[in-house]
Structure formats: structure tokens, C-alpha cells
């Protein structure tokens, strides 16, 4: 298949980029999960190497900005966890808003099953963790087990899932979005420091400003970005975790497509540009083209590669470096935190999601996407036990004792690995035995011609 040439004059020297196959792979969730896995492996190798001290020294390095009497400083790890991860949570908010406005979350009956399944996937793991750790500082870690890692789950599905994963992908994506909403809400309520009321007041005013921009109909991105940066600083100063500013921005930025008249009007600017190319007309044509796409889509397209290929892998590199020597593993094997996290991730998600989803189906409150069976639902629930990124994130918030934090991280790594292996194996076996490639309800296939099936013969002209 021929590709559309790049805009602009052809350069004298052309450097070959990635092949079409490589570009197609980089556009999938599998590519993001590979980068995340690389970051995790590098962190573990570095933290268990002779240079382990440099690992801790790098991420505790103070980094700041100073302008005259004003100074703002955090450790490098906090810049990753508080600032860069706000961009990641903004992308999550953008995905949630888009799916609600024009995606799979519009259909109530299709959404009900994964949404209530996500509720079960929040509550049952928390309950299991608290059975292992009913009191003390360890009990503060209940939030570690409540979230599914969307990037890893969809990446594992793309790499090891059935031949036709689209319908189960829709189910898992909807479940992950509902799970993210619940996890972010609980994190905001229970894992924030003592709030500063003046800073919270400023944050509320800035959220109101974002809503005002949306209500007015502002479609350009820079006003939202400027107010969003100010909102991040206000939320950070308030004591509430600063990443919630990213969620608020993603949820507010408009996602509805513009009116058809806006799309039609862009043709006039293109005609004017063809008649007389000038810098001003180029700018107007570009702005007219941008106005045809919702601000949500444009911002997500700009941010998603940065989050998938840089921010989330660097987050793993900064937080997954756990010492796995004999002493650490021995402590983890005897730790109720480690066992509570691992068992809650694997068993809690499997039981919670499957049980809640099947109860919803039995009560007739919703339906599964066409081609998805109970067996696929079970495998999807196992995969949802991969609770890596946000689990590591909350572990940093929940524990003050470094030893307990390390034990929780070992539990996250062990539980996520077991969930990935069990879920991908089950999904592959059941996906091949009960394929989802068959038509769904209301679809039909073309009838095959009668046997024998032969290749068509060429028709020769008379006399030849």
C-alpha cells in the first residue's frame, strides 16, 4: 500500500525512518508496554548492581528553578512522580472524557458490565489486603491493590491475546477507565496531606476558569494549558496530590466534535491559500483545520507518545528499583504486606471482577460485547491483576517506612507477574478454543460457493 508523501518540499538528503511495520508496532499498546518493561528491568538491574548507591543518589538529587527571590525545588523522583505523572493522569482524563462523549462509554448496557466489574475489582482486592493487614501502618497500603495498569494490560493483550482481540479489548479498556475513575477518586480523598485552604480556594477558582473556557467555546489549546499549569502549582501547594490537577484538566477539555459548519468553513481557507500562499493565510488554514478536531483529541495526540514512551518508562525506572537480595526476599516472604498485595492483585481482581460482572449479567443489567464469553471474562479479570504503575505510585504515598515500602513493591512485582502469566495463558487458550472472530449479534457472513472450489481460469480471446 502506497503511503501519503510528507508535506513540504522534498529535502536534498533523506534519512530513512522506521519501517512501516515498525511504525505500526509503535502505534500499538504493545509498544508502550515494551518500553515500560524495559524501564522496570533497568531499574531492578541498577538497584541490584554494584552501583546501587548511584540509583538512590540520582533520584534523590534536588532539582529546582530559581528566579530572583522565588525558588521551587523538588527531588528528581518527585519531579517524575508529581509533575511528569500529572501529564500521564491528564491523558487518562482525556481518554475518559472522549469515551464518555463519543466512544464506548455512551452505550449504557455495554458499559454496565465492565463498570460494575471494576467496582468489584476495587472492593474485593482492598478487602483481601485488609484481611492480611488489618491495622497499623501496613493497613495504610490498601490503596496499592485497587488499580489496574491499563498500559500493561492492553500491551499483554496485544502481544499474547487471541487472534481477534478487539471485542475483549473494548471490555478491558472500559473496565480500566472505570477502575481509573474509582482509584483516582479514592486516592484524592484518602492519600492527600493536610490541605491548605487558601491554595485549595485558588485551585477551585482555576478549575472554574477551565470550565469557563469550555463553556465559552474556546477550542484552542494554549489557554487550557496555561491555566492547567497554574492549577498544578495551586494543587501542589494545597497538599492534595498534584497529579489530580492533570486528571481535572483531562476531564474538562472539550471532546465533542464541532458542528459540520465549522468543518465546511475550513475549505474556504484552503481555497484562499491555494489562490495566494501567504504566511497569514497559512496560519489561518492551519487554525481552521485544527478547529475541525476536538481539543481533547489534539491534546491527547500530542501527549500520548510522551507518556507511553518516556514518562511512564521513566516512572518505572525511578520507582521499580527494589533490592532483591537474600535479606530483602527473606523479609518479603515473611511480610503480610507483600503477601497481601500479591494475593489481592491476583485473586482479588479475578474474584471481584468476575463475580461482579456475572452478577450484573444474571440480573440483566447489561450485556457483553459480541463474541465475548464468560471464559474470556475470567481471563480478562486475571489480566486486570496487573497493577503496576498506579500501584507503585500509591506505595510511595502510603508508606513512610522504607522497608515496608520495599516489601509492598516486591508484592506488586510478584502479583503483577503472576497475573500477567495466568491471564495471558488463559486468554490465549480460551481465545483459540472459543474464537471471538465469529460475527456478533445481527451480523451475517457471505455464503461460500458450492464445491469444488477452483481458481478462476483466464478467458482467451477467439482464435488464440
Amino acid at each position: 500500500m502506497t503511503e501519503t508523501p510528507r508535506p513540504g518540499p522534498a529535502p536534498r538528503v533523506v534519512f530513512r525512518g522506521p519501517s512501516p511495520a515498525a511504525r505500526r508496532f509503535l502505534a500499538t499498546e504493545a509498544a508502550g508496554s515494551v518500553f515500560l518493561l524495559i524501564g522496570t528491568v533497568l531499574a531492578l538491574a541498577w538497584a541490584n548492581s554494584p552501583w546501587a548507591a548511584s540509583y538512590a543518589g540520582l533520584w534523590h538529587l534536588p532539582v529546582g528553578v530559581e528566579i530572583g527571590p522565588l525558588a521551587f525545588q523538588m527531588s528528581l523522583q518527585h519531579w517524575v512522580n508529581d509533575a511528569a505523572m500529572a501529564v500521564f493522569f491528564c491523558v487518562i482524563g482525556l481518554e475518559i472524557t472522549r469515551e464518555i462523549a463519543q466512544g464506548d462509554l455512551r452505550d449504557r448496557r455495554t458499559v454496565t458490565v465492565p463498570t460494575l466489574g471494576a467496582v468489584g475489582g476495587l472492593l474485593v482486592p482492598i478487602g483481601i489486603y485488609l484481611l492480611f493487614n488489618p491495622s497499623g501502618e501496613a493497613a495504610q497500603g490498601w490503596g496499592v491493590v485497587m488499580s489496574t495498569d491499563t498500559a500493561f494490560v492492553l500491551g499483554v493483550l496485544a502481544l499474547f491475546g487471541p487472534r481477534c482481540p478487539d471485542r475483549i479489548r473494548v471490555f478491558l479498556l472500559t473496565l480500566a477507565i472505570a477502575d481509573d475513575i474509582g482509584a483516582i477518586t479514592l486516592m484524592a480523598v484518602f492519600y492527600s496531606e493536610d490541605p491548605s485552604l487558601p491554595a485549595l480556594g485558588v485551585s477551585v477558582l482555576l478549575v472554574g476558569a477551565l470550565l469557563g473556557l469550555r463553556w465559552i467555546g474556546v477550542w484552542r489549546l494554549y489557554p487550557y494549558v496555561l491555566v492547567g499549569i497554574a492549577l498544578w502549582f495551586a494543587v501542589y501547594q494545597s497538599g492534595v496530590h498534584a497529579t489530580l490537577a492533570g486528571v481535572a484538566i483531562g476531564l474538562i477539555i472539550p471532546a465533542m466534535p464541532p458542528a459540520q459548519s465549522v468543518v465546511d468553513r475550513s475549505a474556504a481557507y484552503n481555497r484562499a491559500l491555494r489562490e495566494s500562499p501567504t504566511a497569514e493565510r497559512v496560519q489561518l488554514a492551519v487554525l481552521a483545520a485544527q478547529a475541525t478536531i476536538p481539543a481533547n483529541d489534539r491534546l491527547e495526540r500530542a501527549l500520548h507518545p510522551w507518556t507511553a514512551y518516556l514518562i511512564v518508562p521513566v516512572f518505572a525506572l525511578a520507582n521499580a528499583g527494589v533490592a532483591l537480595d537474600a535479606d530483602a526476599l527473606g523479609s518479603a516472604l515473611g511480610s503480610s504486606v507483600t503477601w497481601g498485595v500479591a494475593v489481592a492483585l491476583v485473586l482479588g481482581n479475578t474474584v471481584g471482577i468476575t463475580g461482579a460482572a456475572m452478577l450484573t449479567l444474571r440480573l440483566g443489567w447489561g450485556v457483553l460485547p459480541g463474541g465475548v464469553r464468560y471464559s474470556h471474562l475470567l481471563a480478562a479479570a486475571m489480566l486486570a491483576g496487573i497493577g503496576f504503575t498506579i500501584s507503585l505510585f500509591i506505595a510511595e504515598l502510603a508508606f513512610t517506612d522504607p522497608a515496608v515500602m520495599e516489601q509492598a513493591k516486591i508484592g506488586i512485582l510478584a502479583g503483577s507477574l503472576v497475573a500477567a502469566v495466568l491471564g495471558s495463558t488463559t486468554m490465549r487458550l480460551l481465545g483459540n478454543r472459543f474464537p471471538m472472530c465469529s460475527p456478533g449479534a445481527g451480523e451475517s457472513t457471505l455464503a461460500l460457493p458450492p464445491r469444488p472450489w477452483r481458481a478462476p481460469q483466464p478467458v482467451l480471446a477467439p482464435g488464440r
Side-chain angles (χ1 to χ4, degrees), residues 15 100 103 105 118 149 153 178 219 237 320 348-349 359 396 398 410 430 448:
F15 298 96
I100 292 173
L105 296 185
D149 192 301
V153 168
W219 56 269
Q237 295 295 332
N349 280 280
L359 178 62
E396 293 283 338
I410 292 175
L430 297 178
L448 292 173

Side-chain angles (χ1 to χ4, degrees), residues 155-165 168 375-376 378-380 382-383 419-436:
V156 169
L157 181 65
L159 288 171
F160 303 108
R163 287 189 298 270
C164 297
I168 195 66
S375 53
H376 304 135
L378 175 64
M382 292 178 180
L383 277 180
V421 172
L422 286 178
S424 58
T425 303
T426 306
M427 184 69 75
R428 168 66 67 165
L429 293 175
L430 297 178
N432 291 335
R433 185 172 181 181
F434 305 106
M436 287 175 279

